Amino acid sequence: MNTLFGEKKAEAKKLVFTSVDQYPEAPVSLDTTLSNFTGDWRTFIPVINEEKCVKCYICWKFCPEPAIYIKPDGYVAVDYDYCKGCGICANECPAKAITMEKEEK
Amino acid sequence: MAEYKPIKKVVSGNYAAAYAAKDARVQVVAAYPITPQTSIIEKIAEFIADGEANIQYVPVESEHSAMAACIGASAAGARAFTATSAQGLALMHEMLHWASGARLPIVMVDVNRAMAPPWSVWDDQTDSLAQRDTGWMQFYAENNQEVYDGVLMAFKVAETVNVPAMVIESAFILSHTYDVVEMIPQELVDEFLPPREPLYDLANFEKPFSVGALATPADYYEFRYKLAKAHEEAKKVIREVGREFGERFGRDYSRMIETYRTDDADFVFLGMGSLMGTVKQAVDLLREEGYRVGAAKVLWFRPFPGEELYELAKGVEGIAVLDRNFSFGQEGILFNEAKGVLYNTKARPLMKNYIVGLGGRDFTVSDVRKIAENMKAIIEKGELDVEVDWYHLKR
Ligand code: SF4
Ligand code: SF4
């Protein structure tokens, strides 16, 4: 799958610790802040409707994380590892192509 | 190893703190003057001016900044020191969490002073005990010698477990009162306390990283556990460092609670800091009068020496807890902690809380005698009169 940070993110995923012994003694960020997966902050999730999207990229510009990327076909997509569900993209989209839906976890 | 010949000096508690910081070869001092701490940092400034110490002194505009500067220095690998009192310590509060959370072994001397209002510059432990949950270790000194020794040991313990430590002395009773202190020649201090080895090297520009960055709910919890474990580990380190100190310099600190004539005691006085000197003197007099009493001084309040308290509690019928502090809406803080530790054990002596000496109120040998009489009476009766006794109150 094409994502925002591609291979770099795969590296960052290795920094996700699954047992307490793997953690560094002090809370320092090791190498990259990409490992701060803000995706689990979310309650609502943005869903993009390509039929309505006019490829203006306003959502891409406004996303504070930034979690929106442009796919080779020119449409936008959300990297859900980083999307914190703030809803700014949906609010700013002039074509109302983004809806915020309650995420089932 | 060079032979130990102490250098005897007649100094105030504050000067003892300053000499200890110098002998520990602190590299950065950031501080703001506040009564009764001022003469600590004045003395350090004097050492620097006289060329006796190579210390970067950062004069700051507040205690919050003082701790922030120490955090920066410590994160960069330096041995950092500061000192404060009362409202100044309260102003540092937020930064204290940053220091312990980032696991920076800063050492600070807090000169216990009552919190205002009403404005007061006298002795009271509520300022330091209000910082109980900031993740700092706390060492309470009884006299000027323990201030000096405490700072040296605090650095060694702090740098072993990467947790900051406070060394606490009484306002005026120690800070401004002169006494003989046996100081340790520099080369022996250097052997005891080698240069710091930081956990991480922030000055390595090849491998940059940030300190204290965001942790989401997925990670924060583990870092708290690590700090909790470090405090557990610190108990072992404290006892080892205290034993080593005793072997090298003749003053043994291998126990986190110092006991005095407690072996066959019916009841003991439990307390912290300078008032325990008075208590020990009173214990000698009371022993002559036939009271079987002892004194137990909590040297390290954080981490809390629960195991040693349990050992003590097993052998006695009563514990009179002397608190020069108070937690409003509850009781004396040491009393609260001590009861809490013993609740799930088989040692449950009668415990009574005496609130003494707040805001510098005099606490004397005759006060200890009156408390002893009261303790004897309640132990004979087998029940408390009141649990928390505002002992000095004008009635
Ligand atoms: S909801 Fe917020 S974080 Fe997620 S993609 Fe939209 S703007 Fe970005
Ligand atoms: S703002 Fe709306 S229309 Fe514009 S690119 Fe984003 S989703 Fe498409």
Side-chain angles (χ1 to χ4, degrees):
Chain A
M1 194 186 129
N2 189 2
T3 64
L4 190 54
F5 294 105
E7 276 174 24
K8 276 193 192 157
K9 189 166 84 178
E11 280 298 306
K13 288 241 168 180
K14 289 187 200 147
L15 296 174
V16 175
F17 307 123
T18 53
S19 101
V20 66
D21 302 327
Q22 295 166 355
Y23 281 79
E25 211 51 42
V28 293
S29 76
L30 298 171
D31 296 324
T32 173
T33 56
L34 292 181
S35 61
N36 283 324
F37 294 105
T38 41
D40 58 6
W41 297 10
R42 216 168 35 226
T43 307
F44 288 90
I45 191 165
V47 178
I48 293 171
N49 181 349
E50 290 189 359
E51 278 170 20
K52 287 190 182 170
C53 175
V54 296
K55 301 183 181 174
C56 68
Y57 305 138
I58 284 175
C59 59
W60 172 81
K61 220 181 250 178
F62 273 77
C63 174
E65 275 311 312
I68 292 181
Y69 61 100
I70 301 164
K71 295 186 292 179
D73 63 7
Y75 286 106
V76 290
V78 179
D79 189 331
Y80 291 115
D81 280 335
Y82 300 107
C83 166
K84 63 186 177 188
C86 67
I88 290 174
C89 53
N91 192 57
E92 297 298 331
C93 172
K96 305 239 172 304
I98 306 178
T99 48
M100 299 300 293
E101 291 173 15
K102 187 84 187 276
E103 186 174 20
E104 301 296 335
K105 287 199 177 150
Chain B
M1 204 185 293
E3 199 203 332
Y4 170 52
K5 278 207 207 77
I7 304 160
K8 291 191 184 181
K9 283 199 167 82
V10 178
V11 291
S12 66
N14 277 358
Y15 280 11
Y19 273 101
K22 174 175 79 72
D23 291 350
R25 292 193 188 274
V26 298
Q27 291 157 300
V28 176
V29 171
Y32 187 83
I34 181 169
T35 303
Q37 157 263 37
T38 316
S39 54
I40 297 178
I41 56 167
E42 279 176 352
K43 190 70 183 166
I44 290 175
E46 204 179 297
F47 288 143
I48 298 167
D50 293 347
E52 285 181 51
N54 182 17
I55 298 171
Q56 290 290 322
Y57 186 94
V58 190
V60 284
E61 81 289 0
S62 79
E63 284 83 354
H64 190 274
S65 308
M67 188 44 62
C70 285
I71 287 168
S74 188
R79 185 168 284 161
F81 177 83
T82 188
T84 191
S85 287
Q87 317 297 125
L89 181 60
L91 187 53
M92 278 182 189
H93 173 78
E94 186 236 355
M95 282 286 134
L96 297 185
H97 282 282
W98 273 95
S100 62
R103 306 292 298 277
L104 301 170
I106 300 161
V107 170
M108 148 161 75
V109 169
D110 175 56
V111 186
N112 266 155
R113 163 184 153 185
M115 295 300 294
W119 201 243
S120 167
V121 293
W122 290 276
D123 189 19
D124 190 305
Q125 298 165 335
T126 306
D127 64 341
S128 53
L129 288 169
Q131 307 306 326
R132 184 188 67 171
D133 303 333
T134 55
W136 281 59
M137 298 186 285
Q138 296 198 344
F139 176 91
Y140 284 81
E142 178 195 318
N143 50 42
N144 296 359
Q145 184 70 58
E146 286 186 2
V147 174
Y148 179 85
D149 296 347
V151 169
L152 296 182
M153 286 189 289
F155 269 115
K156 185 148 174 153
V157 175
E159 290 174 11
T160 306
V161 292
N162 292 291
V163 174
M166 275 178 217
V167 174
I168 295 139
E169 57 160 319
S170 307
F172 301 106
I173 295 169
L174 300 189
S175 70
H176 287 65
T177 305
Y178 281 65
D179 198 356
V180 178
V181 171
E182 294 192 356
M183 299 189 188
I184 302 165
Q186 185 69 61
E187 70 218 75
L188 293 185
V189 177
D190 291 347
E191 275 172 20
F192 174 74
L193 186 67
R196 178 185 163 208
E197 283 171 33
L199 254 184
Y200 301 105
D201 183 8
L202 199 64
N204 177 358
F205 299 112
E206 301 301 313
K207 203 172 182 304
F209 62 88
S210 63
V211 177
L214 179 83
T216 66
D219 296 311
Y220 184 86
Y221 190 91
E222 275 67 24
F223 285 114
R224 286 294 83 114
Y225 176 80
K226 290 230 157 189
L227 182 53
K229 286 305 260 190
H231 269 261
E232 270 310 304
E233 172 72 16
K235 289 188 194 175
K236 258 195 1 237
V237 175
I238 283 167
R239 291 178 182 123
E240 279 161 19
V241 166
R243 183 173 306 115
E244 185 190 341
F245 198 93
E247 280 162 10
R248 290 195 180 197
F249 311 122
R251 294 182 294 278
D252 181 68
Y253 293 94
S254 60
R255 288 175 56 81
M256 295 169 72
I257 297 179
E258 181 199 299
T259 51
Y260 183 74
R261 305 186 77 165
T262 55
D263 278 352
D264 61 339
D266 295 333
F267 63 93
V268 294
F269 303 97
L270 183 75
M272 305 193 289
S274 62
L275 61 83
M276 292 312 287
T278 307
V279 171
K280 283 191 234 168
Q281 196 193 344
V283 162
D284 288 345
L285 295 170
L286 288 164
R287 283 264 172 186
E288 281 169 25
E289 293 166 20
Y291 284 92
R292 287 206 307 206
V293 288
K297 178 177 76 183
V298 177
L299 280 163
W300 291 88
F301 177 78
R302 277 292 179 274
F304 195 79
E307 308 79 0
E308 287 179 21
L309 183 66
Y310 173 57
E311 286 307 314
L312 175 77
K314 273 198 300 199
V316 296
E317 287 172 60
I319 301 180
V321 183
L322 310 173
D323 268 309
R324 188 168 225 152
N325 61 71
F326 197 72
S327 173
F328 300 98
Q330 184 63 348
E331 55 203 4
I333 297 167
L334 179 60
F335 182 62
N336 189 253
E337 297 263 335
K339 274 196 309 178
V341 159
L342 297 175
Y343 182 82
N344 272 334
T345 70
K346 292 201 168 64
R348 306 268 286 272
L350 210 55
M351 291 175 78
K352 183 171 167 183
N353 193 192
Y354 298 88
I355 307 302
V356 298
L358 298 187
R361 180 69 55 91
D362 218 3
F363 180 68
T364 64
V365 168
S366 67
D367 293 323
V368 185
R369 177 180 286 112
K370 282 186 201 141
I371 290 171
E373 284 163 11
N374 179 243
M375 276 302 284
K376 193 167 178 243
I378 59 177
I379 287 172
E380 271 163 18
K381 216 169 160 221
E383 64 181 84
L384 292 176
D385 41 10
V386 287
E387 194 174 26
V388 182
D389 195 339
W390 282 74
Y391 168 80
H392 300 288
L393 207 63
K394 294 167 188 162
R395 291 173 215 265

